[in-house]
Amino acid sequence: MITPFVFSFSLFALFIALLYVFLVKRSQVTLKLKQLELQSFYEKEKEMLDRIINAASDTLLCLDHDKKVLFMNKKGEEMTGWKVEEVIGKAFCREVIRVRDSKGHLICHSDCPLEKACTLASREAVCEGMLLTKNGAQAWAELRYSALVDSKGHLSFGILTLRDISQFKKAEHMRLQLTSNIVHELRTPLTYIRGYVDLLLMRKVGGLSEDQEKSLRVIRESVFKLIALIDNLLEVARIEEGKFYLRFGSVRLNHLIQKVVDLAKVEADRKNIVLIWEAQDSFPEIYADGKRLEEVLMNLLSNGLKYTHPGGRIEIALGEEDETVSILVADTGIGIAAEYVKGIFERFARLDDVDGNKPGEGAGLGLNIVKRVVEAHGGKVWVESEMGKGSTFYVQIPKRNVA
Ligand code: ADP
């Protein structure tokens, strides 16, 4: 016999059980619906992201801590010649592509840009190189590396973009070629003018009045300046085309400086500028390109003479450190404003003088050539300067002692 109490309790329990089942089922259904919703949202987002990444005009790659490929977009197939599924898990710079710099050295092997990026505050490195694809095709590429590092500064992930710059390189090559052809064509008539002016000044063609001689000397000086300017332009064009080589040999820096100081002495005396140089006869011979270093020193010294007022001083000193040798050229000239110091070694960098006047002669190429020559020796050049007090240029090159 079921008592009403037991009956109502059973009903109540049944009701609770049904309610529980209903609620559980409903939350399961809601969860499932949410999952489906999320999945479709995620798929849509992924599809959109894939479409964006694959529509990019640059190759985009993601590398792991071993520089193995985790991801590559579709553009990468075109640039590297590899299918996306083929490159996943491959060591990028050893198995996928080869990139050589303008001298033909393998970039990744000599100086891995991704490793370099890890050490920089910006965590970024950029370089250019000739990319060799899977099928042997070559293309100029700009490579941009971004490094994501762990707490110890080691590489966690690398993001790399490759941009095909072949067209740009071709146009640049044509521009350089055109410039050097034009400049070359300009040099030939100037050489004739110089030759004939010399003949006239030597009175090989007839006598000269004092005024005529004076005028001819002005012409001669201007022609010399033009030829020097043209030679600088040709030099920069050669450097940019990669046709710039050093001829290493044993160099006595002490003698080299003495020679340049002797050459500069005439102009220094004319401007009443004191040259201070203490010869160091026992300075060791080094292995370098003497002609180029002479050019560097001549540039620095003639700038010193150009930008120092009469009555000033220019000191030249030679120093030896553990691994390097250094040359210092310090003047008491007009100085360089702090905001220009950084860009002074760039091409065509010329500054207004202290009084705000336009700069004198010169095309702003000398210091750029200095920088390129010093860097080609594996060295560096920099300047410290104070407006109105003077500038000190430092050249430091690795010591390669002559055995
Ligand atoms: P430029 O042939 O015009 O002198 P450079 O490349 O040799 O070209 O120098 C670039 C600019 O740097 C110069 O125009 C000048 O404004 C500045 N400069 C170079 N050397 C000195 C110096 N010793 N003192 C002050 N300014 C200098």
Side-chain angles (χ1 to χ4, degrees):
M1 168 112 184
I2 302 165
T3 64
F5 171 75
V6 173
F7 178 71
S8 61
F9 178 77
S10 307
L11 264 181
F12 180 68
L14 185 68
F15 173 72
I16 293 292
L18 281 173
L19 187 65
Y20 175 76
V21 170
F22 170 73
L23 286 176
V24 168
K25 275 282 169 216
R26 199 179 72 158
S27 65
Q28 277 177 348
V29 170
T30 318
L31 207 68
K32 192 80 191 154
L33 279 174
K34 277 254 177 289
Q35 268 177 352
L36 285 172
E37 232 173 75
L38 265 173
Q39 196 172 340
S40 119
F41 174 76
Y42 165 78
E43 274 165 9
K44 268 194 208 145
E45 290 286 305
K46 186 177 173 306
E47 193 188 317
M48 193 167 77
L49 209 63
D50 280 350
R51 280 176 59 191
I52 293 171
I53 288 173
N54 286 324
S57 55
D58 294 341
T59 294
L60 185 66
L61 283 134
C62 183
L63 311 179
D64 68 8
H65 63 283
D66 272 337
K67 295 170 214 154
K68 288 193 173 142
V69 180
L70 291 171
F71 167 85
M72 179 172 86
N73 68 351
K74 279 275 169 205
K75 182 74 186 174
E77 295 193 340
E78 214 179 286
M79 270 190 89
T80 65
W82 291 86
K83 290 262 168 246
V84 172
E85 50 281 12
E86 286 174 325
V87 289
I88 305 297
K90 281 204 162 67
F92 181 67
C93 40
R94 275 185 282 117
E95 297 175 273
V96 180
I97 56 153
R98 298 262 185 279
V99 186
R100 292 184 187 275
D101 64 17
S102 55
K103 289 186 181 139
H105 301 143
L106 280 170
I107 287 178
C108 307
H109 289 196
S110 52
D111 189 13
C112 173
L114 200 47
E115 299 286 351
K116 197 162 134 201
C118 292
T119 64
L120 301 173
S122 64
R123 305 278 191 240
E124 283 180 3
V126 185
C127 63
E128 273 182 21
M130 181 64 88
L131 193 126
L132 183 69
T133 66
K134 185 188 177 190
N135 44 26
Q138 295 194 345
W140 270 103
E142 182 193 75
L143 298 96
R144 287 183 170 267
Y145 297 82
S146 301
L148 278 88
V149 297
D150 62 18
S151 56
K152 289 182 183 150
H154 299 146
L155 180 71
S156 297
F157 295 102
I159 295 165
L160 168 59
T161 56
L162 297 174
R163 172 169 293 179
D164 188 338
I165 52 168
S166 303
Q167 290 305 324
F168 167 74
K169 281 281 170 189
K170 210 163 145 188
E172 195 183 49
H173 177 70
M174 278 165 66
R175 180 185 62 81
L176 286 171
Q177 200 107 77
L178 188 72
T179 315
S180 68
N181 287 350
I182 294 173
V183 174
H184 216 272
E185 289 305 310
L186 282 173
R187 202 185 191 286
T188 316
L190 281 172
T191 317
Y192 279 114
I193 297 174
R194 186 177 66 182
Y196 279 102
V197 169
D198 280 344
L199 279 182
L200 288 168
L201 281 169
M202 283 189 272
R203 293 174 168 77
K204 298 261 180 193
V205 195
L208 286 178
S209 71
E210 208 174 302
D211 280 349
Q212 284 169 332
E213 182 175 342
K214 228 189 241 166
S215 309
L216 279 172
R217 290 207 179 277
V218 174
I219 295 174
R220 191 170 183 271
E221 204 175 308
S222 304
V223 171
F224 264 117
K225 278 179 190 159
L226 271 176
I227 290 179
L229 175 63
I230 284 173
D231 285 346
N232 274 348
L233 281 168
L234 281 172
E235 182 85 320
V236 170
R238 252 197 305 271
I239 293 171
E240 291 190 345
E241 274 190 288
K243 294 180 188 163
F244 172 80
Y245 307 101
L246 294 182
R247 288 193 178 84
F248 278 86
S250 74
V251 177
R252 282 185 179 278
L253 277 180
N254 188 54
H255 290 187
L256 188 146
I257 296 178
Q258 187 65 56
K259 183 174 160 194
V260 177
V261 168
D262 289 345
L263 283 171
K265 184 110 181 54
V266 184
E267 178 64 3
D269 288 347
R270 194 184 69 80
K271 274 194 82 175
N272 189 25
I273 292 171
V274 180
L275 291 184
I276 304 165
W277 155 243
E278 270 186 39
Q280 294 188 36
D281 294 327
S282 56
F283 200 84
E285 272 181 55
I286 61 156
Y287 196 61
D289 185 330
K291 271 254 158 290
R292 294 288 186 184
L293 288 186
E294 199 176 309
E295 202 181 337
V296 164
L297 203 59
M298 200 66 213
N299 256 309
L300 296 180
L301 206 48
S302 61
N303 273 349
L305 289 167
K306 225 190 283 179
Y307 301 109
T308 301
H309 294 304
R313 276 179 292 113
I314 303 178
E315 186 185 348
I316 304 104
L318 184 56
E320 186 185 7
E321 301 83 36
D322 286 345
E323 314 261 312
T324 49
V325 289
S326 43
I327 303 168
L328 163 159
V329 180
D331 63 53
T332 56
I334 60 172
I336 302 161
E339 66 264 36
Y340 296 126
V341 164
K342 215 170 151 216
I344 196 114
F345 294 97
E346 296 311 312
R347 266 186 313 170
F348 308 118
R350 300 177 68 213
L351 322 176
D352 294 349
D353 73 15
V354 262
D355 306 321
N357 300 320
K358 286 280 143 236
E361 69 248 16
L365 292 172
L367 287 180
N368 186 249
I369 295 173
V370 164
K371 179 172 177 259
R372 308 248 194 170
V373 171
V374 173
E375 285 179 352
H377 276 87
K380 55 182 182 174
V381 54
W382 71 99
V383 60
E384 286 167 8
S385 188
E386 204 177 324
M387 286 296 279
K389 294 214 165 148
S391 314
T392 304
F393 285 83
Y394 299 87
V395 171
Q396 193 172 56
I397 56 170
K399 201 187 316 179
R400 296 184 185 89
N401 285 336
V402 177

